Amino acid sequence: MKWRLTARFLFSVISIVIIVIFVNTAILIGLLIYQQVSHFNSTTASTEEAFVRAFEQYIDESGTISDEGLQQLHQRNAWIQLLDPNGQVINSHFAPENALSHYAPVDLIQVYKYKEFDVDTTVYVGSKSENDINYLIGIKGSGVSRYVAHLSGESTLKLIGKYGLLIVFADLLVATLVGWLFGRALTKPLYAMIERIQHLKNHKHLPIKMPKGIYQPVFENLNEVSSELAAYEQERKRLEIMREEWISNVSHDMKTPLASIRGYAELLNDGGLTPNEQTEYTRIIEKQSLHMQDLLDDLNLTMRLRHQQLPLSFTEVNIVHFIREIVIDTLNMPQYEQANIDFDANTNLIQHSIDIHFMRRAVMNFLHNALLHNPQDVNVHVLVEEHSITISDDGHGISAEDLPHIFERYYRGTNTELTHGTGLGTAIARDIIEAHGGSVTITSEEQQGTTVSIQLKETFQEAKTQ
């Protein structure tokens, strides 16, 4: 890829040089052709030449010029000399004083090529073939000039060498300028790409303005890569925070049951215990081990729910039937068979998409809390509406000091003496409801009872299912 780009760049530069040389050569040739054609086709030159060739009609056989011919000469500010075959002047009109009286062949060539008489006079040569008379006509102020070029091999090479090197130098200068402009247009986005890659290396993921042109797809891809890397880095940081939080929670939550297990294990190793004491200590160790297992499971669950790492399996269910079954199952438990639970629904069919297992756990937690932390004669009312589930009781209620902390981990209110469980039930129930796209609020007054209101949002649930 590197060599291909280099080859393309060199090819472009060489192409520019060749094009410039070709254009300059074409321009030079065109100018020369134009100059020659313009001089050859000049109106004045053509007119004067035609006049000289046609002037023989004014010369008779004896070499005398008619009055009309003299008038034509006078109108053109011209003079004439007639020559015999030997070059001797036999007649002359309006000729300058320095005109020759006899012309050798070399003299004729001299006056024809060069302005011998006057710098403003051009001499033309004509002939009248019938009487073998030649004539010279000089026209003053015609504006016609003759140029004589002498070409030889050596002089031609010198000319080419002189002006060719100048053209090559000019072409190289133009090619350098064009190449610099082209290279600048090429290297500017390359520098931007290198800078962008350097930013990615330094974990800087700010979007940049994309230039127009052939490099735009490259910068679009770089921006997409930058966005993906930023998302990956954010996810990595989140997972790292989650891992550190997990380690901190586990190390904190395991201290109490581990200390209990270690203490009773040391007592068993010391000996001197009665069989009943050994059995009791063994039972406590087993109980604390099970508590640690439940604690780890609940802690893992609440962490995954809080960081949206727990995949929920949504199923379309009838919430009325679903909550009624939870109430019936609770009443079938031995410890709650005498409970006073009233179930009510404003319709027989309310469809919601939920994860049956986790939603059941959340609702049962709030329902069992209403029974556990109140007297046995407490009245619990469960109401199911279109987008809400309400669990209310007329028990002790929750103090104003405890109510803001009700969803905190391991928090236990001052109005309860029950200490079994992991202390994570309410927090897990709240996280499950929020994972379903809903919300839960608890209102309570001391000695007036407590109300738990669960709000469900069906549209949010369907979006999470997708």
Side-chain angles (χ1 to χ4, degrees):
M1 183 65 180
K2 175 182 177 182
W3 292 111
R4 290 176 61 185
L5 288 175
T6 304
R8 291 185 62 182
F9 178 76
L10 291 176
F11 176 77
S12 300
V13 174
I14 294 173
S15 300
I16 292 172
V17 174
I18 294 174
I19 291 173
V20 170
I21 293 175
F22 176 79
V23 170
N24 286 344
T25 304
I27 292 174
L28 180 60
I29 295 174
L31 289 175
L32 291 175
I33 294 175
Y34 173 77
Q35 183 180 10
Q36 295 297 326
V37 172
S38 62
H39 279 287
F40 182 77
N41 291 329
S42 172
T43 303
T44 303
S46 299
T47 303
E48 304 298 347
E49 290 283 353
F51 168 73
V52 171
R53 286 195 298 269
F55 194 80
E56 62 177 335
Q57 63 181 321
Y58 303 114
I59 303 174
D60 59 15
E61 294 181 357
S62 62
T64 303
I65 301 174
S66 65
D67 293 339
E68 184 180 357
L70 294 176
Q71 186 178 1
Q72 291 289 333
L73 291 173
H74 180 72
Q75 289 178 355
R76 292 181 179 273
N77 195 18
W79 55 265
I80 188 170
Q81 284 183 311
L82 282 73
L83 310 177
D84 63 12
N86 295 322
Q88 184 66 37
V89 177
I90 60 175
N91 195 1
S92 177
H93 296 279
F94 314 120
E97 295 180 356
N98 58 345
L100 300 177
S101 60
H102 180 273
Y103 290 89
V106 67
D107 295 327
L108 292 175
I109 296 174
Q110 186 74 11
V111 298
Y112 181 78
K113 288 185 176 181
Y114 306 105
K115 297 184 178 181
E116 293 291 326
F117 302 104
D118 190 354
V119 294
D120 195 26
T121 300
T122 303
V123 177
Y124 297 89
V125 178
S127 65
K128 187 174 179 61
S129 58
E130 290 83 358
N131 49 11
D132 200 16
I133 296 176
N134 298 319
Y135 55 88
L136 299 178
I137 296 180
I139 302 176
K140 187 176 181 180
S142 64
V144 177
S145 300
R146 293 191 181 96
Y147 299 94
V148 180
H150 299 277
L151 296 178
S152 65
E154 184 179 357
S155 62
T156 302
L157 290 176
K158 289 182 179 179
L159 183 64
I160 294 175
K162 180 180 180 180
Y163 293 101
L165 290 176
L166 182 61
I167 293 175
V168 170
F169 177 76
D171 290 341
L172 290 177
L173 183 62
V174 173
T176 302
L177 179 61
V178 175
W180 179 78
L181 295 174
F182 177 80
R184 185 171 180 269
L186 178 67
T187 56
K188 185 176 180 181
L190 290 178
Y191 289 147
M193 282 188 281
I194 294 173
E195 184 179 6
R196 181 62 168 158
I197 294 173
Q198 188 69 27
H199 287 170
L200 295 179
K201 179 182 177 182
N202 297 330
H203 305 286
K204 296 179 180 179
H205 305 294
L206 297 176
I208 61 174
K209 183 179 179 180
M210 291 182 294
K212 302 294 183 180
I214 61 175
Y215 293 102
Q216 183 175 357
V218 178
F219 284 93
E220 289 178 353
N221 291 331
L222 284 176
N223 278 343
E224 291 179 3
V225 171
S226 178
S227 300
E228 292 179 2
L229 289 177
Y232 291 152
E233 186 170 354
Q234 185 177 2
E235 178 68 11
R236 180 186 60 80
K237 290 180 179 179
R238 190 184 65 81
L239 292 177
E240 185 175 349
I241 294 174
M242 182 178 177
R243 178 180 61 83
E244 292 177 355
E245 185 178 355
W246 164 260
I247 294 174
S248 176
N249 291 335
V250 169
S251 61
H252 175 269
D253 297 340
M254 294 294 106
K255 287 181 179 179
T256 301
L258 281 175
S260 178
I261 291 173
R262 181 177 180 181
Y264 284 105
E266 290 176 353
L267 291 176
L268 289 174
N269 289 331
D270 290 342
L273 300 177
T274 64
N276 291 335
E277 289 177 334
Q278 292 180 356
T279 302
E280 178 64 18
Y281 294 166
T282 303
R283 187 188 64 80
I284 293 175
I285 291 175
E286 181 182 7
K287 180 180 177 181
Q288 292 296 331
S289 299
L290 294 174
H291 177 69
M292 288 180 60
Q293 181 178 352
D294 293 340
L295 189 61
L296 284 173
D297 292 341
D298 286 353
L299 186 58
N300 182 52
L301 178 60
T302 187
M303 290 293 294
R304 295 180 68 185
L305 285 169
R306 188 166 300 175
H307 294 277
Q308 299 180 355
Q309 293 294 310
L310 184 67
L312 300 179
S313 178
F314 290 97
T315 305
E316 194 77 17
V317 299
N318 183 356
I319 285 293
V320 177
H321 180 69
F322 176 73
I323 300 300
R324 183 185 291 114
E325 285 186 348
I326 293 177
V327 172
I328 293 173
D329 292 342
T330 301
L331 291 173
N332 287 332
M333 294 180 180
Q335 66 271 34
Y336 302 129
E337 59 184 5
Q338 300 299 326
N340 298 319
I341 304 177
D342 182 25
F343 175 80
D344 189 18
N346 58 4
T347 182
N348 292 326
L349 180 62
I350 301 176
Q351 294 292 118
H352 273 276
S353 182
I354 62 172
D355 185 297
I356 297 175
H357 171 72
F358 287 107
M359 183 59 72
R360 180 182 180 86
R361 174 169 180 169
V363 174
M364 288 187 68
N365 176 270
F366 292 123
L367 181 59
H368 290 181
N369 283 343
L371 298 172
L372 280 173
H373 304 299
N374 287 304
Q376 293 185 354
D377 60 348
V378 66
N379 295 309
V380 179
H381 180 72
V382 179
L383 173 63
V384 179
E385 295 178 305
E386 185 175 0
H387 293 295
S388 66
I389 303 169
T390 305
I391 302 173
S392 58
D393 64 71
D394 58 357
H396 295 309
I398 304 172
S399 65
E401 293 79 10
D402 294 334
L403 190 60
H405 307 285
I406 199 66
F407 290 115
E408 294 181 4
R409 293 169 49 222
Y410 313 118
Y411 186 83
R412 299 182 188 277
T414 57
N415 64 345
T416 177
E417 296 179 356
L418 298 175
T419 57
H420 66 275
T422 62
L424 296 171
T426 305
I428 290 175
R430 187 269 315 271
D431 292 339
I432 290 174
I433 300 299
E434 291 181 350
H436 280 75
S439 62
V440 56
T441 57
I442 297 180
T443 58
S444 181
E445 293 184 12
E446 289 189 87
Q447 307 306 321
Q448 297 295 323
T450 302
T451 299
V452 178
S453 179
I454 301 172
Q455 300 293 327
L456 297 177
K457 296 182 180 179
E458 186 175 1
T459 55
F460 190 87
Q461 297 162 2
E462 293 175 355
K464 290 180 72 67
T465 304
Q466 296 174 355

